Amino acid sequence: MAASRVVSKVATMRDAIAALVRDGDTVAIEGFTHLISFAAGHEIIRQGRRDLTLARLTPDVIYDQMVAAGVARKIVFSWLGNPGVGGLGAIRRRIEGDIPEQPLEVEEYSHFGMVARYTAGAMHLPFFPLRSYFETDLPVANPLIRPIVSPYGEETIYAVPPLHPDVTIVHAQRASAAGDTQVWGLLGCQKEAAFAADRVIVVVEELVSDEVIRADPNRTIIPGLIVDAVVVEPWGAHPSYVQGSYDRDNRFYLDWDPISRSEDAVQAWLREWVYDLDGRAAYMDKLGAERMGLLRPSASAPSGAVDYGEYR
Amino acid sequence: MAASRVVSKVATMRDAIAALVRDGDTVAIEGFTHLISFAAGHEIIRQGRRDLTLARLTPDVIYDQMVAAGVARKIVFSWLGNPGVGGLGAIRRRIEGDIPEQPLEVEEYSHFGMVARYTAGAMHLPFFPLRSYFETDLPVANPLIRPIVSPYGEETIYAVPPLHPDVTIVHAQRASAAGDTQVWGLLGCQKEAAFAADRVIVVVEELVSDEVIRADPNRTIIPGLIVDAVVVEPWGAHPSYVQGSYDRDNRFYLDWDPISRSEDAVQAWLREWVYDLDGRAAYMDKLGAERMGLLRPSASAPSGAVDYGEYR
Amino acid sequence: MTERRVAGDPRAFSKAEMMIVAAARALEGQRVCFVGVGLPNIAVNLAQRTVAPELEMVYEAGVFGARPARLPLSIGDPTIVTGSTAVVSMLELFGYYLQGGLIDVGFLGAAQIDRFGNINTTVIGDYKHPTTRLPGSGGACEIAINARQVFVIMRQSTRSFVERIDFRTSPGNLGGAEQAERIRRKGGWLGRGPSVVVTDLGIYHFDESGEMRLDSLHPGATVEAVRASIGWDIKVAQALATTEPPSHEELRLVREELDPGGAYTK
Amino acid sequence: MTERRVAGDPRAFSKAEMMIVAAARALEGQRVCFVGVGLPNIAVNLAQRTVAPELEMVYEAGVFGARPARLPLSIGDPTIVTGSTAVVSMLELFGYYLQGGLIDVGFLGAAQIDRFGNINTTVIGDYKHPTTRLPGSGGACEIAINARQVFVIMRQSTRSFVERIDFRTSPGNLGGAEQAERIRRKGGWLGRGPSVVVTDLGIYHFDESGEMRLDSLHPGATVEAVRASIGWDIKVAQALATTEPPSHEELRLVREELDPGGAYTK
């Protein structure tokens, strides 16, 4: 058969963000604990984007940093915290009105509500139905959570509207130059967030050949068809983690707690770790080989291989 | 940590069908071309079940055989044919009224409609919304396909009701004794059909240890939690196929076409290949080693392994 | 070798071969094609080997980017899986890929079609008491609504090209372009409906009124033969073309690689 | 070694340790537990190592049947993935596992709880102008509705055990058992609501009216201390029990395996 001529989508982080993230966009940097693209968030800060709506189930430290840097006017979320540690000070200060010149709008769901919103977006549905929100104050706080009557038997449940990010950014273990992307470990809702988006940036630990992807098509979560740029950025998820490559840097999350409590400390951190560096490689240099060494898995845990069989 | 004491769910096909499939049940033997449990269908015929409602996207040759054997009073489906070959004579004769003593009720959707029905069942939703059926005669033919108005912006789309099989039967490459089941290749809607069901039978090519499953948790499609019986039945999907193990027996499907056109020929086939045999092993003996040899993949196509990493 | 196909034909190809080749050529320049069961399957596989090497084949069974090493008899064959880009659940295939708007061309077969490209694959006769029970929708209903455009391949006869289809399984241009446009816009459909119909006699497109028009006759076919096998007064293009006959390479691919048994081309 | 926890206490365990141990014990006999963020995480991990070795731990991040080799700090830690039974998308986790009715116990923490077990984790003060912005629902809202029963673990104080919660994030027994039963039945909820609350002072269940009742006091705690840290007139069981103190093995697991840094037990 004829060989397909694949156009490479490989780009630098700087070029990908410059071309694909625009002021006023709704941006989703997704990944539930696993595979959060801190590298992309930092580049958005460096390029000084403004008025973004930041969507994510768990805003996490990356959105605390982005909000502190002034890139956002609104967050859309379901759980606002530093998981296992505490709060996100920069975001809380703006919500609680402590920094009146930087107000931050909030639009709030539950986890399943956010997942359902991305799913409705991916499926081009005008809503997604779910059995959450009964007898809670959430539909009062957010009037976009609405009741819907089943056409079978009068039952009333709830609906959420689709979420269509202008840009979804995901980190992954590997992708081909065409953007076909494979992930193992926690999948979160990256697939749904990517299919729901107008533009998609995939950041990977490793660029692999088309043959590696096609050897195990069941592992592909995002096809190159919907990908606009592939950025190769090893360690781009730190202090989040990549299953099989490096551990979550829990010390970083714990250290963020006191920093986050002080606006000055946050701004100093941003200067030192974002503005004064020109990219992820410099960040990793600064983090240092010793810290990186501590984050390596204690041993390998291979999946084993399966056989798809040739059928000619 | 304490070792978990797993109760084995391994059973013979005869015992599994005897215990879990009852007269009047709604039964879904799912699998889209791939992994269709012909062995379970034949055992249901042998045990003389009656008044079943048979659900499947593509009734395929297995439901033609089961309907001919008189086990069913109704089929629920979206595409009725012998894929790539022609029609299903036994089913057609009963729908077209040629065998008035064995009427067959039909309830008809589209593929996405059937998938959406299983999904609503799996998610315990009273309906699932979709953008099918506009301006077609399907909602007239089947009044269970109903319009639904979006709570956002007045848009009207369609809904289908949940499908909750009493029993879902799926074939898979491998499972543990606890019923944790892994599949590669086409996934169809087996996961949704299993989660939607009250009881689940998994039929596998190979029983594997818990360690094999846990080495690659992203490949698990059905957890043992929802599985009632694990039947180890190599070649149990023939003439359907198992990715990496054996090919689809296209000759069988082609040969079925003339058989299916004659009620006598179908009944003779059932005697020879179902009633007169006591199970799948006898069926494979009769099929013969030469035919089986022709169905082996021409070469292996290994997936490659990935690393999950140990995190202690 | 070609003799066994159309004995005595000097051009040495069958009507079925011409139909498949013409259908494959219609995919030139297309990117993502949803492959229907039957004739579309061989046409799309031929296109990937000729005019559209970058064509991404999507199979409703759950495959994106298939590279079949042989022509799959069924559209759930193992050869569409091995070496493909992605294998996904049918929920994702129909939900994220098709309904999500990623399919450029849905390629369908049909049992009956009308002048506006509305399709029946459900029953001949009354639904409750059919003369002939056909397979039904499968994925056709949602492909017709959600694929950006729809191509159709089918043999033509007065039984298949009819004034009035017995059951509307898959919507085409409904009662005409104006009505169809209004309903598609109001309903938020992503699809623009049927654009090409390829038969064993010729190639049809849809004119401004949404009605089928004969634009090209296959070699050997005549307007009279076309009219004799269509149940309405078919529109014929003023500049009626003649379809380029199959090339040696197209015929070789069909006969040697894709359908050596002649299942599709008999 | 125990000295660093509660200096001078002859029984040598902290209130936090007692709370975690009592919460873990409540899982005896349970099969499938949805593990919430924070204190539930350590309690459920302890239960799997003691009273409930067959407990299937479900993490909202998309893991069924986790076997963490270390206590995960976050509920999306890589150690919950390696060696687990199944890793699935969050759509499947929340849709098929939780909303589908497969969760026996949803184990939650809370910032505020009322006498009927209704929970607030969203804001203190007015929603639009909060005094304190809390994390919000996460998965708690749907866990409270869809898990067959709900266990709660939290420290008690007059700020957390309140007459009136500021925001209802997760429904408990609403305004009482009768109303809650009616609404659950009418709405087709699978969950029967809250059944156990474990604090640093004692263990509570819900009586026939759906109201919280103190059933067991932890060693060293008094009814007076309980009353002083609850914002309503708490019901106390006639046969008030005393919680069995942590065993040596329970303490060893908490201190050496699960929380050597004392993050949960300070």
Side-chain angles (χ1 to χ4, degrees), chain B:
Chain B
M1 98 202 61
S4 131
R5 295 177 301 277
V6 166
V7 179
S8 170
K9 292 171 182 167
V10 176
T12 63
M13 183 66 86
R14 186 176 298 164
D15 290 348
I17 298 297
L20 297 166
V21 181
R22 299 157 198 167
D23 287 352
D25 273 357
T26 294
V27 177
I29 301 180
E30 266 302 344
F32 195 87
T33 318
H34 188 210
L35 300 172
I36 305 171
S37 184
F38 274 76
H42 289 176
E43 185 58 28
I44 290 170
I45 293 173
R46 267 192 295 271
Q47 295 194 16
R49 288 292 172 285
R50 287 293 176 268
D51 296 322
L52 302 180
T53 293
L54 296 178
R56 236 183 98 69
L57 272 63
T58 58
D60 204 276
V61 168
I62 185 59
Y63 280 10
D64 210 33
Q65 295 170 353
M66 291 173 76
V67 165
V71 309
R73 65 166 195 84
K74 180 176 178 177
I75 56 171
V76 181
F77 70 97
S78 45
W79 193 86
L80 186 69
N82 179 345
V85 178
L88 297 173
I91 292 177
R92 270 178 64 163
R93 279 188 291 283
R94 284 158 181 83
I95 294 176
E96 291 170 8
D98 294 347
I99 304 182
E101 68 278 16
Q102 282 185 14
L104 187 67
E105 210 181 316
V106 302
E107 185 180 321
E108 179 168 12
Y109 298 84
S110 59
H111 279 348
F112 193 30
M114 282 293 284
V115 171
R117 292 199 65 197
Y118 286 128
T119 305
M123 288 195 180
H124 186 233
L125 283 172
F127 66 91
F128 200 92
L130 71 176
R131 291 182 179 275
S132 302
Y133 308 125
F134 295 114
E135 301 292 327
T136 72
D137 290 327
L138 284 158
V140 180
N142 180 356
L144 287 172
I145 299 169
R146 295 188 183 162
I148 185 166
V149 180
S150 166
Y152 309 95
E154 307 285 293
E155 201 175 354
T156 297
I157 61 170
Y158 278 90
V160 291
L163 176 51
H164 289 288
D166 294 299
V167 196
T168 288
I169 304 175
V170 302
H171 194 97
Q173 278 101 342
R174 67 190 185 195
S176 68
D180 301 309
T181 304
Q182 297 190 329
V183 167
W184 53 99
L186 298 179
L187 305 173
C189 53
Q190 283 97 307
K191 182 186 287 192
E192 289 71 25
F195 276 92
D198 187 33
R199 306 184 284 280
V200 176
I201 300 173
V202 172
V203 188
V204 290
E205 289 295 311
E206 190 191 4
L207 193 70
V208 295
S209 71
D210 196 41
E211 284 66 40
V212 170
I213 301 293
R214 289 180 185 272
D216 198 358
N218 282 108
R219 279 215 207 277
T220 306
I221 67 156
I222 297 171
L225 178 66
I226 63 168
V227 173
D228 295 278
V230 176
V231 178
V232 185
E233 197 81 282
W235 290 84
H238 177 273
S240 163
Y241 74 98
V242 175
Q243 191 81 38
S245 297
Y246 46 93
D247 201 351
R248 188 166 188 268
D249 192 348
N250 288 327
R251 185 180 130 197
F252 186 101
Y253 281 87
L254 292 164
D255 290 348
W256 185 255
D257 196 52
I259 296 170
S260 181
R261 290 173 195 276
S262 148
E263 190 66 19
D264 288 346
V266 171
Q267 297 300 337
W269 190 93
L270 288 175
R271 254 190 319 280
E272 183 180 350
W273 288 90
V274 181
Y275 295 116
D276 286 354
L277 303 178
D278 68 354
R280 180 81 347 186
Y283 172 102
M284 294 315 299
D285 269 357
K286 186 169 161 67
L287 193 72
E290 194 186 327
R291 179 80 163 263
M292 289 163 74
L294 291 172
L295 296 172
R296 293 290 185 193
S298 44
S300 75
S303 65
V306 303
D307 187 4
Y308 284 85
E310 289 288 349
Y311 295 88
R312 298 194 168 273

Side-chain angles (χ1 to χ4, degrees), chain C residues 61-74:
Chain C
V63 178
F64 174 79
R67 292 259 185 88
R70 66 185 185 204
L71 182 70
L73 175 68
S74 91

